[in-house]
């Protein structure tokens, strides 16, 4: 089976959002991509109070100084396309009011004809949690659990009722409803998060950092699903953060998805062999502008398909 391919939308400061997001979205659909994706980075602390991904001393990349709001970006893409699915990898769910996020996603799904994939994670930035002011970082798992519950309630039949820590709906009609049940996908790697994934979500959003590592993670997810009695298949979308350079990277320590288009495609082939359903290719960080992003995205797609991905 051919692996579905998705493309990350342009959210960073080198792009003109109002024109480049619709332009890249239309081009990606015409090229043949199956989906379009956004991520969330709410702010850039200066000076940084913690390292990137909470790794001490790891600097934040300069492109994170300005990242467009993800749902606004998806809305621009939805209005410019007809077929591609519209996903988040990921929304940092505990930064959002559960009721309002549920309504926004339902509205976007209704407007786009049932194309939304709700990808959630808990994030790691203490500064983002402090700025959002929903709940402390230490309660992120509880907030994510409530958000999933609220989404399922709001997207379900009326009257909606919910009694949680953040959200209390006595009995209400809440619309519009999504065009179909919106799949909820979770980023998860540790045992607690993976248990939530297996028990409560529709799909898994890993990050591709090496085919062998991905295969081992996927095996672990499948074993946990069997252990907990899950029979429904998990949707799978692996995110790859590609660093494109026009010339091949010739260093011995090349990381996955770093280098020329041919090197990126070589890594795509290896990751596709793991057997996950879809690969999200985020190329936006290194192109100078939307035209270069479209050109690289087209070349990656064509060569990946030619290589059997």
């Amino acid at each position: 089976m051919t692996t579905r391919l998705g493309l990350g939308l342009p959210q960073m400061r080198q792009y003109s959002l109002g024109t480049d997001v619709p332009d890249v979205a239309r081009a990606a659909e015409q090229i043949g991509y199956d989906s379009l994706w956004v991520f969330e980075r709410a702010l850039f602390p200066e000076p940084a109070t913690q390292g990137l991904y909470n790794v001490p001393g790891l600097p934040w990349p300069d492109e994170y100084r300005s990242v467009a709001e993800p749902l606004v970006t998806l809305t621009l893409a939805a209005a410019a396309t007809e077929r591609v699915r519209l996903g988040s990898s990921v929304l940092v769910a505990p930064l959002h009011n559960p009721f309002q996020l549920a309504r926004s996603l339902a509205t976007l799904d209704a407007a786009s004809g049932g194309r939304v994939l709700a990808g959630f994670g808990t994030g790691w930035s203490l500064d983002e949690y402090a700025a959002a002011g929903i709940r402390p970082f230490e309660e992120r798992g509880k907030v994510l659990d409530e958000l999933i519950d609220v989404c399922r309630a709001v997207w379900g039949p009326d009257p909606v009722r919910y009694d949680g820590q953040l959200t209390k709906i006595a009995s209400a009609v809440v619309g519009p409803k999504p065009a179909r049940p919106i799949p909820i996908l979770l980023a998860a790697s540790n045992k607690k998060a993976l248990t939530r994934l297996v028990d409560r979500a529709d799909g898994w959003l890993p990050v591709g950092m090496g085919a062998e590592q991905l295969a081992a993670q996927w095996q672990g997810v499948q074993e946990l699903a069997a252990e907990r009695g899950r029979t429904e298949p998990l949707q799978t979308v692996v995110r790859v953060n590609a660093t494109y350079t026009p010339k091949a990277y010739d260093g011995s320590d090349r990381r996955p998805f770093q280098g020329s288009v041919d090197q990126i495609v070589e890594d795509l082939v290896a990751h596709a062999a793991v057997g996950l359903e879809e690969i999200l290719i985020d190329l936006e960080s290194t192109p100078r502008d939307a035209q270069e992003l479209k050109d690289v995205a087209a070349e990656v797609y064509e060569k990946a398909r030619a290589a059997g991905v």
Side-chain angles (χ1 to χ4, degrees), residues 92-108:
V92 184
L95 303 183
H96 298 265
N97 176 285
F99 179 71
Q100 293 296 343
L101 181 58
R103 291 199 65 243
S104 295
L105 289 167
T107 301
L108 181 57

Side-chain angles (χ1 to χ4, degrees), residues 24-192:
V24 171
R26 281 189 294 266
E29 188 169 67
Q30 292 166 1
I31 290 166
Y33 281 96
D34 299 285
S35 55
L36 297 169
W37 296 81
V38 292
F39 76 105
E40 183 158 38
R41 192 82 284 130
L43 50 72
F44 187 98
E46 197 170 45
T49 55
Q50 64 183 133
L52 185 71
Y53 310 131
N54 204 22
V55 177
L58 185 63
W60 290 50
D62 192 63
E63 54 264 28
Y64 282 2
R65 288 181 178 275
S66 178
V67 177
E69 201 283 329
L71 292 185
V72 173
T73 306
L74 275 187
T75 301
L76 290 168
T81 55
E82 298 179 354
R83 171 186 59 80
V84 288
R85 296 180 303 159
L86 306 161
S88 55
S89 180
V90 293
L91 292 176
V92 184
L95 303 183
H96 298 265
N97 176 285
F99 179 71
Q100 293 296 343
L101 181 58
R103 291 199 65 243
S104 295
L105 289 167
T107 301
L108 181 57
D109 193 73
S112 65
R115 294 191 278 147
V116 171
L117 299 169
F120 298 148
T122 54
W124 48 267
S125 170
L126 299 177
D127 295 278
E128 290 181 339
Y129 271 79
I134 301 296
R135 295 300 297 171
F137 180 76
E138 292 74 20
E139 298 180 23
R140 61 196 181 279
K142 293 180 180 179
V143 176
L144 177 56
D145 284 332
E146 178 162 325
L147 189 141
I148 292 171
D149 288 339
V150 171
C151 283
R152 295 258 162 82
V154 166
W155 300 341
D158 294 319
V160 176
R161 298 182 179 89
Y162 187 80
D163 185 13
Q165 183 180 14
L166 296 172
T167 310
K168 298 185 183 298
I169 309 170
S171 180
V173 174
V174 183
K177 299 298 184 185
R180 91 297 191 217
I182 299 175
I184 293 176
L185 293 79
L186 298 180
S189 56
N190 62 50
K191 182 64 179 292
K192 188 173 183 179

